[in-house]
Amino acid sequence: MSMIEAIGITKRFHSLTVFEDISVTIEKGEVLVIIGPSGSGKSTFLRCLNHLEIINGGRIVVEGEELDYKDKKGVLSITMKMGMVFQNFNLFPHMTALENVMIAPLTVKKENKEEVLDRAKKLMIKVGLEDKFDYYPSKLSGGQKQRVAIARALAMNPDIMLFDEPTSALDPELVGEVLNVMKDLAKEGMTMVVVTHEMGFAKEVADKVIFMDGGKIVEEDTPENIFTNPREERTKSFLEKVL
């Protein structure tokens, strides 16, 4: 059974069609990286997978369960299997780093506080922030904030992690520390869907790369084939500009 299947999905905003009739399958433990120019529908596609945007056509199936928008409880139980990391961290400014990591399991899952505290500390250590438990977001660098955001997503014990351009808001020297955490997750077998401009990460970590342009999947292949021998002219011209 696949982790996620998007089957012929379409998304429109009023008269604007963001993408139409696209299908993607993500297997357990697979790292799928989506690349492409700005405005090609990559981030919207990711947001549709975990129901932050509602599709206008097609089906999304997560671990064998179809997202049925009329069944709010069902949608919640499916989307809780996914952790999402955004460009802009979205941390609560009035909470410490550790409290930010703890908040969702405590409020959404009503888990035991001691267990959540223990897990949150372990996750902060995992992302290299063992000395920042009591720091507020305003005292953290962009890279540290994004690592807190990753720990926060992991605190819900997701089966799948979605990353929406997680390094695009960071200063160049801070990008590596976030990508390293993501590389470690991939090595541990986490199923990941990553929208990114970091081609080095895509080459090194992806099992599969999708190139999107103009709301279409132009090409889908191994990183090796996409980066060394792309079949499509649009893929070639995009990579010539960014590599």
Side-chain angles (χ1 to χ4, degrees):
M1 182 174 63
S2 304
M3 290 298 267
I4 303 180
E5 285 181 280
I7 304 152
I9 66 171
T10 294
K11 176 63 191 170
R12 293 186 204 92
F13 291 114
H14 307 297
S15 60
L16 172 74
T17 300
V18 185
F19 53 75
E20 192 164 18
D21 193 26
I22 63 174
S23 297
V24 176
T25 301
I26 299 131
E27 302 298 345
K28 187 173 174 58
E30 188 171 61
V31 178
L32 170 68
V33 175
I34 305 174
I35 61 171
S38 295
S40 56
K42 308 183 300 293
S43 292
T44 304
F45 172 73
L46 203 62
R47 291 170 68 84
C48 287
L49 291 184
N50 76 343
H51 197 57
L52 288 173
E53 300 286 354
I54 296 178
I55 55 175
N56 299 98
R59 297 163 56 219
I60 293 171
V61 181
V62 180
E63 296 183 318
E65 288 186 83
E66 185 167 346
L67 272 173
D68 173 5
Y69 304 119
K70 296 180 197 75
D71 174 11
K72 290 213 164 47
K73 266 198 181 141
V75 167
L76 183 64
S77 80
I78 293 170
T79 53
M80 281 202 331
K81 296 175 180 180
M82 302 189 214
M84 179 101 175
V85 178
F86 302 88
Q87 299 181 31
N88 297 326
F89 330 127
N90 298 346
L91 299 179
F92 293 111
H94 60 287
M95 291 182 181
T96 65
L98 193 64
E99 287 167 345
N100 266 284
V101 176
M102 292 172 66
I103 183 76
L106 289 177
T107 56
V108 180
K109 286 190 168 177
K110 308 282 191 278
E111 287 186 45
N112 174 285
K113 189 168 184 184
E114 292 307 309
E115 287 171 18
V116 173
L117 178 63
D118 182 52
R119 186 160 81 237
K121 285 179 174 173
K122 284 178 179 154
L123 286 168
M124 290 280 287
I125 293 164
K126 181 187 180 87
V127 299
L129 294 172
E130 56 279 354
D131 56 344
K132 299 285 188 255
F133 289 177
D134 299 322
Y135 280 59
Y136 287 90
S138 61
K139 295 285 184 271
L140 299 173
S141 71
Q144 289 166 339
K145 285 182 202 168
Q146 193 59 295
R147 285 185 283 153
V148 173
I150 293 172
R152 178 184 59 185
L154 290 171
M156 290 289 278
N157 284 328
D159 298 339
I160 302 153
M161 285 286 284
L162 309 176
F163 293 88
D164 185 10
E165 303 203 14
T167 57
S168 64
L170 301 180
D171 293 333
E173 70 271 18
L174 302 176
V175 167
E177 65 192 48
V178 173
L179 293 180
N180 285 338
V181 171
M182 293 167 65
K183 285 175 193 172
D184 289 344
L185 284 177
K187 281 188 196 124
E188 289 164 16
M190 174 62 80
T191 307
M192 293 161 58
V193 186
V194 184
V195 170
T196 187
H197 294 294
E198 298 295 331
M199 299 300 149
F201 176 84
K203 278 184 194 171
E204 186 185 339
V205 183
D207 297 299
K208 188 163 71 186
V209 175
I210 282 176
F211 170 62
M212 274 183 86
D213 191 11
K216 298 253 185 302
I217 292 175
V218 176
E219 193 158 347
E220 178 176 341
D221 212 330
T222 62
E224 189 180 11
N225 287 343
I226 290 268
F227 288 108
T228 58
N229 193 20
R231 295 187 308 272
E232 302 293 331
E233 279 306 318
R234 277 156 85 187
T235 315
K236 276 182 198 157
S237 68
F238 172 76
L239 290 172
E240 277 163 11
K241 290 183 189 116
V242 298
L243 290 177

